[in-house]
């Protein structure tokens, strides 16, 4: 009796069934995953690394852009402050001029020189315009209404 327990036919049958199972498994794998769309482990790791880089860099990038805009705003405010300081220095220099001081005193405080006669209207202004000289835009709407009614009555 040979050392082998199985006959050659039994062995061939077993090998044939194993081969058939391998072919069946290979075909079923091909049918389950369409060709060219297999996601390999390396591709998955690469996608994970790229996504994590985007997430990690999003916040610092946003902060950078925000800080750049804040820096631009601060520079604009500093420029405006420099212009305001320049304007105030010029105004301070004008106040050292006696003619400008006199002009401002006449305009705002209604000062007059000795020998001059100053007139102040009841509304507190010292303008040369009179009440009769006001245009329709300077009067309240109800005065314009009554004036137009009076004019239409006097024409008829």
């Amino acid at each position: 009796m040979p050392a082998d327990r199985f006959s050659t036919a039994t062995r061939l049958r077993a090998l044939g069934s194993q081969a058939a199972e391998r072919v069946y498994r290979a075909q079923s794998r091909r049918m389950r995953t369409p060709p060219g769309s297999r996601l390999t482990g390396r591709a998955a790791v690469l996608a994970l690394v790229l996504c994590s880089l985007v997430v990690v860099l999003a916040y610092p990038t946003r902060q950078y852009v925000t800080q750049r805009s804040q820096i631009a705003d601060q520079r604009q405010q500093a420029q405006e402050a420099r212009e305001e300081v320049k304007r105030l220095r010029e105004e301070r220099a004008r106040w050292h001029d006696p003619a400008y001081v006199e002009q401002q005193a006449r305009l705002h405080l209604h000062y007059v020189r000795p020998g001059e006669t100053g007139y102040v209207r009841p509304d507190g202004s010292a303008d040369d315009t009179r009440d009769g000289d006001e245009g329709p835009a300077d009067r309240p709407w109800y005065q314009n209404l009554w004036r137009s009614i009076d004019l239409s009555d006097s024409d008829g």
Side-chain angles (χ1 to χ4, degrees), residues 58-156:
Y59 182 73
T61 303
R62 188 176 131 248
Q63 289 291 72
Y64 175 76
V65 170
T66 302
Q67 288 174 357
R68 294 303 296 172
S69 67
Q70 288 174 349
I71 289 170
D73 290 343
Q74 291 294 324
R75 286 182 178 160
Q76 177 66 27
Q77 289 177 1
Q79 180 63 29
E80 290 172 0
R82 281 191 288 273
E83 291 171 2
E84 180 69 14
V85 166
K86 182 180 176 183
R87 186 190 63 77
L88 289 173
R89 284 184 180 154
E90 290 172 356
E91 185 175 343
R92 185 180 69 183
R94 280 193 305 240
W95 279 102
H96 290 293
D97 181 19
Y100 181 75
V101 173
E102 180 182 346
Q103 176 193 12
Q104 293 300 314
R106 286 177 172 267
L107 181 66
H108 295 290
L109 302 175
H110 307 295
Y111 281 15
V112 293
R113 289 191 163 267
E116 294 179 346
T117 305
Y119 295 99
V120 177
R121 294 177 33 188
D123 64 356
S125 66
D127 292 340
D128 293 337
T129 60
R130 297 186 181 159
D131 288 334
D133 294 344
E134 290 181 343
D138 297 328
R139 293 187 301 262
W141 65 271
Y142 53 86
Q143 284 183 357
N144 290 333
L145 177 70
W146 285 116
R147 185 167 287 178
S148 65
I149 292 172
D150 287 341
L151 288 174
S152 65
D153 283 343
S154 65
D155 288 341

